[in-house]
Amino acid sequence: MGRRLRRRPPADHAQRAEWMRKHPFEWLEVSTYPATYSAHVIARAIRTGDRVEMLRHYGPAGVFETRTTTTEDGTTVDARFIGEAVNG
């Protein structure tokens, strides 16, 4: 039987987005997801400013950068605020 992953509390996206806006260009762990697919969906939604209810704090598109890392517990999503989007 496989190793059972411990359940982590859900990410407080509002708190994380606010912290990143106050600390531009500093990476912050958003959360670790047991499924790689889930981590990549979250990372994409943060980058694109997707209006998914729990991710609405990361808009507009292009103001956050993300990276994913494979860990013992799954896939970790890190993000950082890189500045306001340029309208062009």
Side-chain angles (χ1 to χ4, degrees):
M1 189 175 269
R3 184 173 66 89
R4 187 175 178 103
L5 299 175
R6 66 183 164 96
R7 177 128 170 95
R8 295 180 64 149
D12 182 341
H13 291 284
Q15 180 269 333
R16 283 172 172 73
E18 180 181 346
W19 186 93
M20 286 183 272
R21 286 180 190 276
K22 290 178 181 176
H23 301 91
F25 301 103
E26 291 186 40
W27 290 102
L28 179 68
E29 181 181 314
V30 174
S31 193
T32 299
Y33 300 88
T36 301
Y37 174 79
S38 297
H40 287 278
V41 167
I42 295 295
R44 181 185 175 281
I46 291 170
R47 283 192 316 276
T48 62
D50 196 342
R51 288 298 183 199
V52 174
E53 181 61 26
M54 67 181 210
L55 300 175
R56 69 186 184 280
H57 311 288
Y58 298 106
V63 300
F64 286 90
E65 182 177 38
T66 60
R67 65 182 179 198
T68 57
T69 308
T70 303
T71 66
E72 186 176 291
D73 294 330
T75 303
T76 298
V77 175
D78 297 309
R80 66 181 179 174
F81 179 72
I82 58 174
E84 294 301 326
V86 176
N87 294 325

